């Protein structure tokens, strides 16, 4: 379907992922004319930036896109990549958003009482703009990547697909967040020698006391806690807990991998003369992850005790393995390392936004997606409001709140005009 661009819209949405599509869904419900600009293709990250063995980390029942809940036969299972793409594709067709794909927004600025949006498809004005581009715009790798030997293959997690795409030899995975740990496991299960560079990512049990931990946490109300609660405002900078939904779901225990031959290191400190250097903090990284793991399980224990729930007994996790010493350097050639996978996250791209909506760190100042500038909104950020804000679970709720706020703002602005027209 060929779309033509109008000169003005009630709202412009930047980003055609799950957040932008959710916004479009509610804008349609309010009968508001709008356009969605997507730099690549709709929901491309699910199709183009996930590895072959990728699956959901949270159970299927948490897939709660607007008017599009999971309706399959396995609510407590974990959809694999093709199933996730099919779920998202059905949502895309259902929303039928007015999307311009392959269109980059190059500038956003105030224009009198409106906003001017410059894009590769042309310039439009709008009463409101919703920035739904998330924090995962540009794959990030540290500058020390430039100092690796030329013969080392380097890829980011966004471009990893499977072990076979890498040359024979050992692989270093830098970063122990969800993606890094799951890719390290993928390589480990394929029989590759893996060197895992850890960070401060926490971990979580998959199952505890007879149920998926996510189910327990939902019952406890953890997914209803907002950033407005005391001590929660810094959550937006937290790293996600590592675990997996692979093969029905299980823990990821780096200590177990170490017993099976995976080499573990502290945080990367740099690269020099053919060696990768590490901070001596492997033990503290592993201990910190386990503290969070046991802390979550203790929270579940208290809930079970307080509610008098009949559940299987539980117990704390005790380390299966401890590092004998802290290795602070790795000779890449001597260890046969041929590939490095950067599981070092992404950086946002707000370069086109010429509006004073950011704090000193470059993060949008907002409350549940409503910024301090009338008519400017953000969606899809981790912990925008709750734990599920950046995910299928609650991105729709945030979009509904934002669009309701936007629609109310428009109605108030237009009310005097209607009254004048009616004499």
């Amino acid at each position: 379907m060929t779309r033509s661009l109008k000169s003005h819209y009630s709202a412009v949405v930047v980003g055609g992922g799950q957040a932008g599509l959710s916004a479009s869904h509610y804008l349609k419900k309010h009968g508001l004319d709008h356009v969605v600009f997507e730099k690549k293709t709709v929901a491309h990250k699910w199709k183009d930036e996930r590895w072959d063995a990728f699956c959901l980390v949270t159970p299927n029942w948490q897939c709660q896109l607007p008017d599009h809940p999971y309706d399959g036969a396995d609510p407590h299972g974990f959809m694999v990549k093709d199933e996730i793409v099919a779920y998202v594709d059905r949502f895309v067709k259902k929303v039928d958003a007015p999307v311009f794909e392959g269109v980059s927004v190059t500038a956003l600025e105030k224009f009198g009482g409106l906003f001017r949006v410059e894009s590769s498809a042309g310039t439009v004005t709008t009463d409101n703009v919703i920035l739904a581009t998330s924090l995962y715009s540009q794959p990030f790798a540290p500058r020390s990547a430039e100092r690796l030997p030329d013969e080392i293959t380097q890829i980011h997690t966004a471009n990893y697909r499977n072990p076979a795409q890498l040359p024979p030899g050992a692989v270093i995975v830098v970063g122990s967040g969800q993606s890094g740990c799951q890719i390290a496991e993928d390589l480990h299960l394929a029989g590759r020698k893996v060197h895992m560079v850890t960070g401060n990512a926490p971990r979580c049990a998959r199952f505890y006391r007879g149920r998926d931990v996510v189910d327990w946490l939902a019952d406890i109300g953890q997914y209803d806690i907002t950033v407005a609660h005391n001590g929660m405002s810094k959550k937006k900078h937290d790293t996600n807990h590592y675990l997996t939904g692979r093969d029905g779901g299980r823990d990821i225990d780096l200590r177990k991998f170490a017993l099976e031959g995976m080499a573990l290191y502290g945080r990367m400190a740099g690269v020099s003369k053919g060696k990768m250097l590490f901070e001596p903090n492997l033990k503290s990284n592993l201990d910190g992850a386990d503290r969070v793991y046991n802390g979550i399980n203790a929270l579940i224990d208290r809930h079970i005790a307080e509610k008098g729930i009949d559940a299987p007994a539980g117990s704390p996790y005790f380390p299966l393995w401890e590092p004998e010493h802290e290795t602070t350097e790795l000779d890449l050639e001597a260890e046969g390392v041929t590939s490095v996978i950067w599981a070092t996250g992404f950086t946002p791209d707000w370069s086109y936004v010429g509006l004073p909506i950011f704090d000193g760190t470059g993060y949008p100042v907002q409350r549940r997606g409503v910024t301090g500038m009338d008519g400017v909104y953000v969606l899809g950020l981790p912990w925008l409001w709750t734990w599920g804000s950046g995910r299928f679970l609650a991105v729709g709720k945030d979009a509904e709140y934002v669009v309701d706020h936007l629609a109310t703002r428009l109605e108030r602005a237009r009310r005097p005009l209607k009254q004048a027209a009616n004499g």
Side-chain angles (χ1 to χ4, degrees), residues 57-59 62 78 176-178 181-182 200-208 211-218 220 222-223 239-245 249-254 285-300 317 387 391:
V57 171
T58 52
Q62 283 210 338
F78 307 90
S176 59
Q178 280 186 3
C181 284
Q182 289 176 74
N200 62 356
R203 76 184 189 103
C204 177
R206 175 78 279 164
F207 303 103
Y208 185 64
R211 297 177 73 199
D212 192 304
V213 167
V214 169
D215 293 343
W216 284 121
L217 294 177
I220 292 170
Q222 291 297 112
Y223 292 100
T239 304
N240 286 326
H241 305 72
Y242 59 83
L243 73 168
T244 183
R250 54 174 172 256
D251 292 6
I252 289 182
D253 187 348
L254 297 182
N285 289 344
L286 294 175
D287 289 348
D290 289 343
R291 274 194 300 274
V292 174
Y293 181 103
N294 281 327
I296 292 172
N297 288 352
L299 179 68
I300 295 170
Y317 170 85
W387 202 352
R391 306 200 303 265

Side-chain angles (χ1 to χ4, degrees), residues 130-149:
I130 299 174
L131 307 177
T133 52
S134 82
L135 297 181
Y136 309 117
S137 181
Q138 307 292 332
F140 170 78
R143 289 296 302 273
S144 51
E146 301 168 9
R147 295 193 287 275
L148 285 169

Side-chain angles (χ1 to χ4, degrees), residues 34-294:
H34 65 283
V35 65
V36 180
F37 289 132
E38 166 53 49
K39 182 167 61 174
K40 295 183 179 178
T41 57
V42 169
H44 71 92
K45 285 188 175 292
W46 291 109
K47 302 173 183 179
D48 304 329
E49 296 186 10
R50 299 293 191 270
W51 56 95
D52 294 347
F54 181 88
C55 62
L56 291 179
V57 171
T58 52
N60 295 332
W61 67 261
Q62 283 210 338
C63 294
Q64 297 289 334
L65 290 173
D67 292 339
H68 188 63
Y70 174 78
D71 61 356
D74 191 13
H76 294 281
F78 307 90
M79 287 191 286
V80 297
K81 181 180 177 180
D82 289 347
E83 293 171 328
I84 301 166
V85 169
Y87 170 75
V88 173
D89 276 345
R90 292 195 298 275
F91 181 61
V92 170
K93 291 176 183 176
K94 184 179 292 186
V95 174
D96 190 24
V99 181
F100 281 73
E101 293 184 314
V103 174
S104 299
V105 174
T106 55
L108 167 62
E109 59 189 8
K110 202 80 171 73
F111 183 66
L114 304 174
F115 298 95
R116 180 164 55 205
V117 182
E118 296 180 9
S119 78
S120 55
T123 299
V124 301
T125 59
T126 183
D127 299 289
N128 303 276
V129 62
I130 299 174
L131 307 177
T133 52
S134 82
L135 297 181
Y136 309 117
S137 181
Q138 307 292 332
F140 170 78
R143 289 296 302 273
S144 51
E146 301 168 9
R147 295 193 287 275
L148 285 169
D150 292 341
E151 60 270 20
I152 299 286
T153 296
Q154 300 185 55
I155 62 172
H156 191 271
T157 54
N159 299 312
Y160 174 77
R161 296 295 173 266
N162 55 62
Q165 82 181 105
L166 303 177
V171 185
I172 299 177
V173 179
V174 181
S176 59
Q178 280 186 3
S179 294
C181 284
Q182 289 176 74
I183 288 173
E185 181 190 46
D186 195 41
L187 293 161
H188 181 67
L189 293 175
R192 301 295 290 265
K193 174 62 180 180
V194 178
H195 298 267
M196 182 72 186
V197 183
T198 64
N200 62 356
R203 76 184 189 103
C204 177
R206 175 78 279 164
F207 303 103
Y208 185 64
R209 302 197 65 175
R211 297 177 73 199
D212 192 304
V213 167
V214 169
D215 293 343
W216 284 121
L217 294 177
D219 287 352
I220 292 170
Q222 291 297 112
Y223 292 100
D224 298 321
I225 296 173
T226 74
V227 291
H229 286 73
N230 288 338
M232 301 299 289
S233 61
K234 296 181 180 179
K235 280 291 183 180
K236 62 180 179 285
H237 300 300
D238 281 2
T239 304
N240 286 326
H241 305 72
Y242 59 83
L243 73 168
T244 183
R246 187 164 178 164
D247 300 327
R250 54 174 172 256
D251 292 6
I252 289 182
D253 187 348
L254 297 182
R255 298 181 194 266
K256 178 176 180 291
F257 289 160
L259 289 173
E260 297 170 351
M262 186 181 292
L264 306 181
Y265 308 88
R267 185 183 294 275
M268 190 186 76
V271 175
S272 178
K273 299 178 180 178
K275 296 180 179 180
M276 187 171 284
L277 311 177
F278 312 103
E279 298 176 16
N281 58 9
L282 171 60
K283 177 174 170 52
S284 63
N285 289 344
L286 294 175
D287 289 348
D290 289 343
R291 274 194 300 274
V292 174
Y293 181 103
N294 281 327

Side-chain angles (χ1 to χ4, degrees), residues 26-33:
Y26 287 110
L27 287 166
K28 278 191 164 189
K29 278 199 163 187
H30 279 278
L32 294 172
D33 62 305

